[in-house]
Amino acid sequence: MDNTPVLEWIANASDGRKVTLAQLLVYELRVRDAMHKDPVTARPSDSLRSIQNLMKTHRISGVPITQDAQLLGIISIEDIINALDKGHINEPSDKWMTSTPVTLRDHYTLVRAVAEFDRHGFGRFPVLDACERLVGIITRGDISNALVHHLEKRAEEAVAHEAVLVAERQADEKVQRVVLRTPIKSGDFDSAGRVSQRMREVLRERGIDPDARRRAAIVAYEAETNIIIHSIGGELRAVIEMERVTIDAIDQGPGIEKVELAMEEGWSTAGPMARQLGFGAGMGLPNMKKCSDRFEVRSELGIGTHLHAEIDLKKAESKT
Ligand SMILES: Nc1ncnc2c1ncn2[C@@H]1O[C@H](COP(=O)(O)OP(=O)(O)OP(=O)(O)O)[C@@H](O)[C@H]1O
Ligand SMILES: [Mg+2]
């Protein structure tokens, strides 16, 4: 992955609206799917010289300093170069480490991770689990490796599915309309993504163009997370017809004060808890709009929000 701000890359795909599989994957994959597990670490009393040796042996450019799995700081290759320069290479690492480094959580989505890389410009982030234990380290390279790995996996699955698909496609023509609906509870991150996932399955079985499938999935996913994070609860409904998917996300408040403002890129009221979980870049609504053919948000303070999106479908071109 190069240094283009990745969020920009996600938002502005080639023709402004197409969503590639890689772009969808960064929503689905988590930091724990991409990070390097069991990172090489050093103790606070270890000298910078010994850490330099560790870096050489393991061909790494950053070493977290830990005590009993608790992260105390990080020493980067830049710190080592400085130490050599200034003559303190034999001093203990805790004297020169960056203490309280910026960390990521293992459950963050990769979208959030790439946003953090863009925001801070660091080469790596230590990764902590829910108990604040150091469980990994992640670089931009790890993210692109994970994407390539999963793309390959998806490609293999696609080939395996192809034969089955042709037969199922004809049978599916008869089932005109599928309705998926699920209640959504505020704060319930764990069960997020069910409608989105089932919808993608149905669209895939129907032989719908992958780009339309992914756009629909992003709309459903973002709409659902907004209900989880910003509302007191609601419902997500997807109606799949042959020519379009209609997604309605309806919640019971608190409503959005200024919808035009909420539609702006980067505008967010997400609290620290939601941000910790990897949300709150303020890109959800703008992305949903970009991914939809028709999009409308109606909201009334104290009453609730109704988000309506339609995505036109077309069949994938057959590759015979
Ligand atoms: N269902 C909702 N109920 C109340 N407020 C909402 C709802 N959906 C969105 N908002 C408001 O609109 C803002 C922008 O939403 P958007 O989805 O664009 O960004 P976000 O959810 O804050 O961050 P991201 O989606 O990038 O994780 C939110 O921060 C919130 O203030
Ligand atoms: Mg959102």
Side-chain angles (χ1 to χ4, degrees):
M1 200 170 292
D2 62 18
N3 282 329
T4 356
V6 185
L7 268 191
E8 225 170 81
W9 165 71
I10 291 159
N12 310 315
S14 49
D15 74 350
R17 249 196 40 165
K18 262 198 175 327
V19 176
T20 64
L21 181 53
Q23 287 168 322
L24 182 62
L25 275 175
V26 290
Y27 277 88
E28 291 185 351
L29 295 176
R30 306 276 156 162
V31 165
R32 67 169 80 91
D33 302 319
M35 72 186 187
H36 188 85
K37 297 193 180 80
D38 301 319
V40 175
T41 60
R43 285 176 308 239
S45 56
D46 289 344
S47 70
L48 293 174
R49 174 74 73 197
S50 69
I51 294 174
Q52 181 193 17
N53 290 333
L54 270 182
M55 287 179 173
K56 253 195 232 151
T57 318
H58 297 278
R59 297 168 166 271
I60 50 178
S61 58
V63 175
I65 307 301
T66 60
Q67 192 136 46
D68 308 324
Q70 293 297 310
L71 178 70
L72 302 180
I74 191 161
I75 292 284
S76 67
I77 192 103
E78 296 83 23
D79 298 324
I80 298 292
I81 293 168
N82 259 330
L84 287 168
D85 236 25
K86 306 220 170 91
H88 54 249
I89 193 74
N90 292 316
E91 295 188 9
S93 64
D94 60 352
K95 205 168 154 200
W96 298 99
M97 68 189 182
T98 302
S99 42
T100 61
V102 182
T103 56
L104 299 181
R105 299 283 165 162
D106 60 347
H107 60 252
Y108 278 10
T109 59
L110 289 187
V111 171
R112 170 65 187 260
V114 290
E116 294 297 315
F117 275 109
D118 291 345
R119 192 146 71 98
H120 296 285
F122 297 141
R124 69 205 69 79
F125 287 104
V127 180
L128 305 184
D129 69 5
C131 308
E132 309 269 318
R133 276 180 312 228
L134 177 77
V135 287
I137 192 154
I138 189 165
T139 63
R140 277 176 186 271
D142 293 328
I143 295 181
S144 30
N145 285 344
L147 286 179
V148 169
H149 174 80
H150 278 82
L151 284 170
E152 273 174 1
K153 215 166 93 186
R154 295 285 171 102
E156 279 163 18
E157 283 166 12
V159 172
H161 264 98
E162 207 156 13
V164 186
L165 269 184
V166 181
E168 279 185 357
R169 215 175 278 181
Q170 281 134 9
D172 269 341
E173 307 279 331
K174 294 182 199 102
V175 193
Q176 286 292 313
R177 198 161 181 271
V178 173
V179 180
L180 307 171
R181 58 199 299 177
T182 186
I184 296 161
K185 282 193 282 193
S186 171
D188 184 13
F189 293 96
D190 287 344
S191 39
R194 279 174 308 193
V195 163
S196 170
Q197 199 178 348
R198 181 68 194 121
M199 185 176 67
R200 286 175 67 205
E201 282 164 19
V202 174
L203 295 178
R204 189 157 74 156
E205 282 157 12
R206 288 191 175 190
I208 297 301
D209 168 52
D211 178 58
R213 274 172 6 211
R214 288 167 203 149
R215 285 191 284 113
I218 285 180
V219 172
Y221 175 84
E222 293 283 9
E224 188 173 2
T225 49
N226 275 359
I227 294 185
I228 293 172
I229 295 170
H230 304 296
S231 89
I232 55 176
E235 184 186 64
L236 183 68
R237 204 161 52 206
V239 178
I240 306 166
E241 292 163 295
M242 293 318 287
E243 58 292 328
R244 83 179 63 82
V245 177
T246 308
I247 294 166
D248 285 284
I250 302 164
D251 68 53
Q252 281 94 45
I256 304 174
E257 194 173 353
K258 289 210 175 75
V259 172
E260 321 82 68
L261 211 58
M263 291 296 301
E264 280 177 19
E265 291 189 6
W267 200 87
S268 172
T269 61
M273 158 78 178
R275 285 177 200 265
Q276 266 238 319
L277 290 167
F279 304 100
M283 293 304 294
L285 286 168
N287 277 346
M288 280 185 254
K289 183 166 187 201
K290 229 174 257 176
C291 288
S292 307
D293 291 290
R294 280 162 298 282
F295 184 75
E296 194 189 353
V297 182
R298 272 178 289 143
S299 190
E300 216 176 314
L301 270 185
I303 307 286
T305 302
H306 184 159
L307 184 149
H308 176 88
E310 293 177 22
I311 295 101
D312 292 335
L313 301 178
K314 63 179 173 68
K315 295 267 171 159
E317 279 151 33
S318 69
K319 296 183 218 91
T320 40

